[in-house]
Amino acid sequence: MRVIGVDPGLRKMGWGVIETSGSRIRHVANGVCESRGSDLATRLLSLFEQLSEIVAAQAPEVAAVEHTFVNKDAAGTLKLGQARAIALLVPARAGLAVAEYAPNAVKKAVVGVGHAAKPQVEHMVRLQLPGAKLAGPDATDALAIALCHAFHARAGGKLEAALAAAAAGAAR
């Protein structure tokens, strides 16, 4: 399974792609889309175009996007929500299923603690993806989001298999 994780941001939108096969996880690519333009519409369009190119080039099978947290500044939260809409829209437009995760869920899945600091997240991403050249904190967060989805998908598959085995055993 090829997963793209997206860390929404209006100035910088991090992205990271991993590939899973059984219990193996491999880093594919990561980077940051930086918005260009002076007005909001142009900046959003630039993020849309960049992320669309990345999704087309990397060919992920599923996407994972981080939920927006609420800032103290309502205007800032609204703008971040608009960038998050781009992060949801681009993979959905490409026909991908899009999973969403709260920041604390991502940290708990990757670090083991829901309130982990950024350096802890980076350390665990580096441990999980040895040799990956991280393109900055936003890309690191995006890889953590992709890892979170991979861990959840793996656990979900085990649960489904166990339920199917139990149902088959009960039918005998």
Side-chain angles (χ1 to χ4, degrees), residues 57-75:
Q58 296 298 327
E61 298 167 63
V62 66
V65 178
E66 190 171 69
H67 278 292
T68 304
F69 63 91
V70 178
N71 291 316
K72 294 176 185 174
D73 172 24

Side-chain angles (χ1 to χ4, degrees), residues 9-30:
L10 185 56
R11 288 189 182 109
K12 293 182 178 187
M13 182 176 292
W15 62 272
V17 179
I18 62 170
E19 216 165 60
T20 65
S21 178
S23 62
R24 297 181 56 114
I25 298 174
R26 181 178 74 82
H27 172 263
V28 176
N30 71 89

Side-chain angles (χ1 to χ4, degrees), residues 45-133:
L45 177 60
S46 75
L47 290 172
F48 177 85
E49 290 172 342
Q50 290 173 67
L51 191 57
S52 294
E53 288 175 13
I54 290 159
V55 168
Q58 296 298 327
E61 298 167 63
V62 66
V65 178
E66 190 171 69
H67 278 292
T68 304
F69 63 91
V70 178
N71 291 316
K72 294 176 185 174
D73 172 24
T77 300
L78 182 59
K79 287 178 182 176
L80 181 57
Q82 292 166 330
R84 188 169 177 279
I86 299 298
L88 294 167
L89 175 65
V90 169
R93 186 172 182 247
L96 305 179
V98 181
E100 300 175 66
Y101 296 97
N104 286 351
V106 173
K107 291 174 183 176
K108 184 150 180 98
V110 175
V111 179
V113 180
H115 294 285
K118 284 209 180 268
Q120 292 173 301
V121 173
E122 179 182 341
H123 176 73
M124 292 307 291
V125 167
R126 286 185 187 281
L127 282 177
Q128 290 290 324
L129 305 171
K133 303 287 186 232

Side-chain angles (χ1 to χ4, degrees), residues 28-46:
V28 176
N30 71 89
V32 177
C33 302
E34 293 191 36
S35 65
R36 298 188 279 283
S38 56
D39 61 279
L40 180 60
T42 305
R43 292 171 68 193
L44 290 171
L45 177 60
S46 75

